[in-house]
Amino acid sequence: MNCNKSISAILSIGMSAIAPILPLVTPQLAAALAPTEVNAIAKEITVRVDGPTGHGSGVIFEKKGSTYYIVTNWHVVSQTGDYHIVTPDGKRHPVYYSLIKRMPGADLAVVPFSSAENYRLAVLANNDPSEGKKLYVAGWPRSGGTLQQPILIVTEGLMTRRQAPWNGYTLVYSNLVRGGMSGGPVLDDGGRVVAINGIIQLEDKSDKIVAAGIEIDTFLKWRTTVALPTVPQDSPRAGKPPTATPVNNSPRLPANAAFTLASALKVPAGVVSSVATAGSHFVSGNTDGSISVWNLPSGELKSTLRGHGDAVNAVAIASDGKILASGSDDKTIKIWNLETGENIRTLSGHSDVVVAVALSADGLFLASGSWDKTVKIWNVKTGALLYTLLGHSALVNSVAIAADGKTLASGSKDGSIKLWNLQTGELIRTLKGNALSVLSVAFSPDMKTLASGSGDGTIGLWNVGTGQLIRRLSGHTDGVWSVAITRDGNTLVSGSWDKTVKLWDLRSGELKGTLSGHSGYVNSIAISGDGQMIVSGGWDGQIKIWKRGG
């Protein structure tokens, strides 16, 4: 395929792993069915995938217990956010974004959801459709007219040719395909799924628009090599009430460690993506592109900084409280004078969204992580780019700098943590053992332990010197997007998309308590310098200040 002539049809990562379960595969020839019969099958196996910016389609192909699995295009679910699967009966099922599993080398992903209902599973056919064979494509485009409502349609066409693989796409057909049908099934005349529909393209040397799909055999070869995650059944997102106990009621929590809610604040607009504290104030990065500066502990809004052209995903404050760094969807990092609110300089160099920033304790170095799979190290005073660190095979979610300013940690969606020499940019070691995306990292004050939050809801504690996993903490029921350690090195605080903040004994790994109150995902947490307050920010647009009790 001529990639330059492609136009995307986009409308828009486990918990306990299970042994690979093979989907239903029938390689033998099946008798041809009437078009009405194929249409009926297509409508029973095709789901709608509703996401933060639009929708796509998917195919129910497997079930384990009450967990169903759909296969869809990766581009349908590649943007982090809140997703729902709409099944043929019209019911909406929430999705753990952290449990979505991407297939390497192809535009495919598996999305699990939980339901007690009985849904039909697709029959996956690993035979090779021949040219001229009738094919059916199902999916959820939008209706015409003014309503523009998603509707399920099935279109007929013919297999026209095969092309050289491009992101997995090889099968080309003449079916009418519209936006919203990405991820839907391509069926043969026996009602079996032979490919996953994904892109619309201009045919080579022609103005004719055709569609292309990824043949199901490509998916099946990968499926037999991986274990898929199950949806936990004791979580709010699985339809059951949370069982968390408020931290101040926990019988195991010493009285001097109890935290209670002191203030609940609301940002003027958007979602709170990140928070950071320093001295008598804290800042929040917001999805409307602004940065809010707040007094601590009063929660009074002190000022609003504007300059980014898109959502602010990350903020970090130097230890002296004077310099602020922010990373944004606009692919830039900005350095601010926090005392005056002046934007000192803008750092450009990333080719994709910047989602993580960290400042060294002396304020001289800045590290940034991006969806472009790189980590960059900058000179804060001059704005010079010192190093671009390559090695991660997927987007970089988080970065942290050790207290001595010598070691940098980066966590990636590729499931790895890398330790780098901040002064030279050299890779020290790679920490492996994460089943899913590494969402957050933080060094202990003594620099001997690294904490990492994972997409499966667990927290890893690592020996920085050896790279060995010390222990893994379980308690969250969704991805852990933020971790922080108190200055005394005793307590680890974690924020999760299960809408809670948890406190852990760093040495024993014991869960000491849970702070509940956010109505949306908790994206970021920060601890005041004296350890007496915790600030948490979330998708509900709220910031909560938690104060240590007496």
Side-chain angles (χ1 to χ4, degrees):
M1 182 181 71
N2 184 344
C3 299
N4 294 326
K5 297 176 71 175
S6 298
I7 56 175
S8 174
I10 301 172
L11 262 185
S12 35
I13 332 179
M15 297 299 290
S16 57
I18 62 174
I21 311 276
L22 297 183
L24 184 57
V25 181
T26 57
Q28 71 276 9
L29 293 176
L33 301 176
T36 54
E37 295 176 289
V38 178
N39 286 356
I41 293 172
K43 291 178 180 179
E44 289 185 54
I45 64 173
T46 305
V47 300
R48 192 173 84 233
V49 184
D50 287 351
T53 60
H55 77 271
S57 303
V59 183
I60 310 174
F61 75 96
E62 193 172 314
K63 182 184 181 185
K64 175 66 175 179
S66 61
T67 298
Y68 282 91
Y69 301 92
I70 72 161
V71 58
T72 184
N73 290 140
W74 167 242
H75 74 244
V76 171
V77 293
S78 61
Q79 180 174 333
T80 304
D82 200 4
Y83 288 84
H84 286 80
I85 301 300
V86 181
T87 42
D89 56 6
K91 294 183 178 180
R92 292 174 59 83
H93 309 272
V95 171
Y96 274 85
Y97 187 80
S98 59
L99 297 187
I100 295 175
K101 201 169 188 72
R102 181 182 185 181
M103 177 181 167
D107 184 24
L108 292 176
V110 174
V111 182
F113 70 93
S114 179
S115 175
E117 303 294 331
N118 290 318
Y119 297 117
R120 182 167 185 162
L121 303 182
V123 175
L124 308 184
N126 58 3
N127 65 316
D128 296 327
S130 56
E131 290 187 19
K133 188 171 182 64
K134 181 179 289 187
L135 296 175
Y136 301 79
V137 178
W140 285 86
R142 291 193 178 276
S143 64
T146 58
L147 290 179
Q148 290 289 294
Q149 295 297 311
I151 55 171
L152 177 59
I153 68 169
V154 183
T155 66
E156 294 185 32
L158 300 176
M159 185 262 188
T160 59
R161 61 183 174 88
R162 278 189 173 81
Q163 63 182 18
W166 180 83
N167 209 10
Y169 291 98
T170 56
L171 197 65
V172 181
Y173 34 88
S174 63
N175 302 62
L176 172 65
V177 173
R178 293 157 53 190
M181 297 177 71
S182 290
V186 181
L187 302 96
D188 65 11
D189 59 8
R192 304 176 306 171
V193 176
V194 297
I196 301 300
N197 176 65
I199 59 173
I200 302 171
Q201 63 189 37
L202 294 175
E203 193 167 319
D204 288 346
K205 301 177 182 179
S206 169
D207 291 331
K208 182 180 179 182
I209 296 177
V210 296
I214 300 172
E215 292 181 74
I216 210 66
D217 187 48
T218 301
F219 172 72
L220 291 174
K221 289 176 182 177
W222 171 75
R223 174 64 191 96
T224 60
T225 67
V226 296
L228 297 180
T230 55
V231 178
Q233 296 304 298
D234 60 347
S235 75
R237 294 176 68 78
K240 296 185 178 182
T243 57
T245 302
V247 63
N248 54 323
N249 291 333
S250 172
R252 296 179 297 171
L253 188 65
N256 63 0
F259 283 80
T260 56
L261 183 62
S263 301
L265 314 174
K266 183 75 174 177
V267 295
V271 167
V272 180
S273 298
S274 54
V275 293
T277 63
S280 60
H281 52 267
F282 71 93
V283 300
S284 65
N286 312 314
T287 56
D288 68 348
S290 69
I291 299 169
S292 301
V293 183
W294 311 79
N295 284 323
L296 191 68
S298 69
E300 178 187 1
L301 181 60
K302 182 179 178 181
S303 61
T304 300
L305 310 181
R306 300 189 184 277
H308 281 294
D310 213 327
V312 177
N313 300 311
V315 289
I317 305 176
S319 57
D320 63 6
K322 296 180 180 179
I323 298 296
L324 165 69
S326 57
S328 169
D329 269 8
D330 66 12
K331 307 177 186 180
T332 70
I333 301 126
K334 290 185 180 291
I335 307 297
W336 309 78
N337 182 319
L338 200 50
E339 295 179 324
T340 66
E342 177 190 3
N343 177 204
I344 301 172
R345 62 181 50 88
T346 298
L347 311 180
S348 300
H350 282 293
S351 61
D352 210 329
V353 172
V354 179
V355 292
V357 293
L359 285 164
S360 60
D362 57 15
L364 297 179
F365 297 98
L366 167 74
S368 58
S370 168
W371 281 13
D372 65 11
K373 306 178 186 179
T374 72
V375 177
K376 293 183 184 291
I377 301 174
W378 312 78
N379 182 305
V380 173
K381 289 188 175 181
T382 67
L385 175 59
L386 303 177
Y387 306 105
T388 295
L389 310 182
L390 305 175
H392 284 297
S393 60
L395 62 89
V396 177
N397 287 312
S398 56
V399 291
I401 298 175
D404 63 1
K406 295 180 179 179
T407 308
L408 165 69
S410 59
S412 168
K413 192 171 182 178
D414 64 15
S416 74
I417 301 164
K418 292 185 182 292
L419 300 180
W420 313 83
N421 184 315
L422 186 68
Q423 312 295 323
T424 66
E426 294 178 295
L427 178 64
I428 300 172
R429 64 177 52 90
T430 299
L431 313 184
K432 297 181 179 179
N434 299 280
L436 289 177
S437 181
V438 178
L439 306 175
S440 51
V441 288
F443 284 99
S444 62
D446 63 7
M447 300 168 289
K448 295 180 179 180
T449 303
L450 181 76
S452 65
S454 174
D456 65 1
T458 64
I459 299 165
L461 299 180
W462 306 81
N463 183 308
V464 173
T466 66
Q468 297 300 306
L469 180 66
I470 302 169
R471 62 173 55 90
R472 191 165 289 281
L473 311 181
S474 299
H476 284 295
T477 57
D478 208 336
V480 180
W481 286 84
S482 186
V483 288
I485 299 173
T486 54
R487 188 170 293 180
D488 60 13
N490 293 328
T491 304
L492 167 70
V493 183
S494 57
S496 167
W497 272 19
D498 66 9
K499 306 177 186 179
T500 71
V501 176
K502 292 185 182 292
L503 291 80
W504 313 78
D505 186 296
L506 187 63
R507 292 175 175 82
S508 68
E510 181 183 6
L511 176 62
K512 307 301 291 185
T514 300
L515 306 177
S516 301
H518 279 283
S519 60
Y521 304 148
V522 177
N523 287 332
S524 183
I525 51 98
I527 306 170
S528 63
D530 58 10
Q532 298 301 304
M533 285 171 284
I534 297 170
V535 179
S536 58
W539 270 44
D540 51 10
Q542 291 192 2
I543 297 169
K544 295 187 182 294
I545 302 174
W546 311 87
K547 190 174 182 181
R548 189 187 295 272

